[in-house]
Amino acid sequence: MQRSTPNQAEIRAAAPQEGHFVAEFLRVRQLAERGVANAQHSLGFMYFNGQGVAQSYELAVAWYRQAANAGLEHAQYNLGVMFQKGQGVDVDFTEAAHWYQLAAEQGYAAAQYNLGWLYAKGQGVPQDTEQARYWFAKAAEQGDPGAQNNLGMMYDTGKGVPQDYAQAIMWYRKAAEQGYARAQFNLGLRYDNGQGVAQDGKQALGWFRKAAEQGYAAAQFNLALRYDKGQDVAPDAARAIKWYTLAAEQNHVSSQFNLALIYDNGNGVARDEVLALQWYRRAAELGHAGAQNNLGQRYDQGLGVAQDHREAAHWYRKASESGHPAAQYHLALLYEQGLGVPRDQQEAIFWYRKAADQGHLRAQFDLGLRYETGQGVPQDARKALAWFRRAAEQDYVAAQFMLGQIHDRDDGPAPDQAQANAWYRKAAEQGHTLACFTLGLRYDNGQGLPRDFKQALSWYLAAARQGHARAQLNAGLMFLSGQGAEADAEQAWRWLSLAERSGQQSAARHLAAAAARLAPHQLAALRAAPELLPA
């Protein structure tokens, strides 16, 4: 090779470096030009890092290649890395695999690890999980923590090897004990779910903490979640926020969303709409569907931002296209009302159905109403019944009541008084006012149920306490006549008085009858505080 010296530009570029780097560069270059492979590798390293000379990936490649051709395994590895990353050369996975293979066959662990990855991903070589396992195992047996972790993952998932949780745990532990953050996290997950080891929340917490302290975002999120929910530790909002924030700043999207929820709801901290909005926006921009939906709601309702239905529709649509059912429902509402988008009943129905098919209760109920009334769809009582049933079976109280009404109709798709009463009861037990009143009527009249005045009065009272005027009237009459309870003129007067004030004109006559049974001082006391709800 023709002898040469560094040009002045190279020397000037290196001038800010310490003087010994320049001297070392000159010494190493002389040896490299004489064909000393280790010196050629070192010179490539100096060009790569700009150590004693101006940085040049292209010259680093040239010197690495000479050392690699001489069979130096670490030069072969570094040349493989440069082809894999496209540093000083075009990205070429086939060329990277070639150089990794040469180094790996000489036992170079880092090359074995990288070659395993190329086989796992099918980059530059045919995808081959057995070859990936082989090279990961070679590197793992030399103590490479990344390979140990990857081998653990293969045994964990049964990819390329028979699934074996014990082997997975063994390799995770080897890597974790070397401080490899991802393996620490994986080991924490196994202790958390008891997969391959006895479930142990404290062990899980310990490994999550080790990984989190190294900056591993997924571990920081899991640690934050424990402080947030009080799982295996005392709830601590400040620590939850600390770990969520560290992960969120690394663009861990679930941490950003949870941080937004904390500030939005004031969980353990002062409520801060500005910070909530900031974190919702960051998560939304990274594609978190829940954050996109929540950001849409803020624009929809003008919460912390100027109301803007067009912007709301933008974020609802992004979340909807990711399959978020609440966003699909909200987008349907905008189309139905023509807010931020052209009014379009068919588009509304499309998104209602998308949400309903995923189990969104309000969407199922609203879709039932549309089939019930023929709004935007052909009227179809059977489809209405089907959608109401899906929502009712998830304990959606309004759907339970509607299902009761459909079964109650003789001209409906499925007349069934027993079913009607069963659904009225389910709704009534959740406090649905009309269901309580209806069930009271059924017991009062013996309609599909044994006549039972005590039960009738109980359900009338449940509706009456919620302000249902006819229930107040009926409860007053039952107290007046002693049906379902001992006659009680005072209770009768209170309920009849409430019914009269609620517009039940017939209450006046019965109110006079109740008053006639009361002593003057009792009546005076009742009239002095008519707003008091009866016991």
Side-chain angles (χ1 to χ4, degrees), residues 188 191-192 198-208 226 231-232:
Y191 276 112
D192 190 34
Q199 194 169 27
D200 188 329
K202 288 187 177 179
Q203 281 280 342
L205 189 70
W207 287 112
F208 286 146
R226 275 152 178 75
Q231 182 183 344
D232 304 317

Side-chain angles (χ1 to χ4, degrees), residues 297-351:
Q297 285 183 290
R298 268 140 194 79
Y299 281 108
D300 197 353
Q301 299 166 29
L303 299 173
V305 291
Q307 191 174 45
D308 186 335
H309 290 116
R310 188 182 297 276
E311 191 71 6
H314 166 77
W315 289 111
Y316 285 153
R317 186 178 302 281
K318 281 186 173 292
S320 294
E321 289 170 351
S322 296
H324 193 279
Q328 292 168 340
Y329 177 72
H330 293 142
L331 187 58
L333 290 175
L334 292 186
Y335 273 110
E336 185 176 353
Q337 299 167 58
L339 296 173
V341 290
R343 189 172 185 182
D344 188 329
Q345 285 295 318
Q346 291 310 305
E347 193 72 7
I349 294 296
F350 172 82
W351 289 112

Side-chain angles (χ1 to χ4, degrees), residues 16 41 64 66-67 88 90 95 105 121 129 145 155 182 197 236 258 268 270 301 306 411 430-431 434 473 481 487 498:
H41 174 263
Y64 280 153
Q66 291 194 53
D90 292 335
E95 198 64 11
E105 287 171 350
K121 296 177 179 178
T129 52
Y155 280 112
R182 187 165 184 182
V197 288
D236 190 325
N258 283 12
Q301 299 166 29
D411 61 348
Q430 291 199 68
L434 288 174
L473 173 65
S481 62
L498 286 170

Side-chain angles (χ1 to χ4, degrees), residues 217-426:
Q220 292 170 335
F221 169 73
N222 274 269
L223 194 56
L225 203 59
R226 275 152 178 75
Y227 282 115
D228 194 359
K229 309 300 180 187
Q231 182 183 344
D232 304 317
V233 289
D236 190 325
R239 288 184 178 178
I241 288 171
K242 168 194 167 182
W243 290 112
Y244 278 143
T245 303
L246 287 170
E249 294 293 0
Q250 296 185 67
N251 285 335
H252 188 274
V253 69
S254 293
S255 294
Q256 293 172 337
F257 180 64
N258 283 12
L259 205 51
L261 289 175
I262 284 177
Y263 285 118
D264 197 5
N265 299 319
N267 292 338
V269 293
R271 191 165 184 269
D272 190 326
E273 282 193 1
V274 173
L275 278 175
L277 187 65
Q278 171 191 317
W279 286 112
Y280 279 139
R281 190 179 300 281
R282 286 187 62 173
E285 287 170 350
L286 288 171
H288 191 284
Q292 291 168 338
N293 176 62
N294 285 12
L295 191 56
Q297 285 183 290
R298 268 140 194 79
Y299 281 108
D300 197 353
Q301 299 166 29
L303 299 173
V305 291
Q307 191 174 45
D308 186 335
H309 290 116
R310 188 182 297 276
E311 191 71 6
H314 166 77
W315 289 111
Y316 285 153
R317 186 178 302 281
K318 281 186 173 292
S320 294
E321 289 170 351
S322 296
H324 193 279
Q328 292 168 340
Y329 177 72
H330 293 142
L331 187 58
L333 290 175
L334 292 186
Y335 273 110
E336 185 176 353
Q337 299 167 58
L339 296 173
V341 290
R343 189 172 185 182
D344 188 329
Q345 285 295 318
Q346 291 310 305
E347 193 72 7
I349 294 296
F350 172 82
W351 289 112
Y352 280 134
R353 193 181 301 280
K354 285 278 190 186
D357 284 338
Q358 294 192 75
H360 191 279
L361 296 177
R362 285 293 302 276
Q364 291 173 338
F365 178 70
D366 285 4
L367 207 50
L369 285 176
R370 275 150 187 75
Y371 279 111
E372 171 83 357
T373 61
Q375 182 185 346
V377 292
Q379 194 168 20
D380 189 325
R382 290 193 179 279
K383 287 185 177 179
L385 180 71
W387 284 114
F388 285 142
R389 186 177 298 279
R390 286 182 65 174
E393 286 172 349
Q394 295 187 72
D395 288 333
Y396 191 63
V397 65
Q400 291 173 335
F401 179 71
M402 288 300 297
L403 203 53
Q405 287 203 312
I406 289 177
H407 282 301
D408 221 0
R409 293 204 308 257
D410 290 336
D411 61 348
D416 188 329
Q417 202 166 78
Q419 279 282 305
N421 287 334
W423 286 111
Y424 285 143
R425 182 178 296 278
K426 285 182 179 291

Side-chain angles (χ1 to χ4, degrees), residues 39-67:
Q40 291 169 339
H41 174 263
S42 295
L43 191 59
F45 185 83
M46 288 177 153
Y47 274 115
F48 184 87
N49 292 290
Q51 195 176 76
V53 68
Q55 187 188 54
S56 171
Y57 287 151
E58 290 77 9
L59 286 172
V61 168
W63 286 107
Y64 280 153
R65 190 186 295 276
Q66 291 194 53

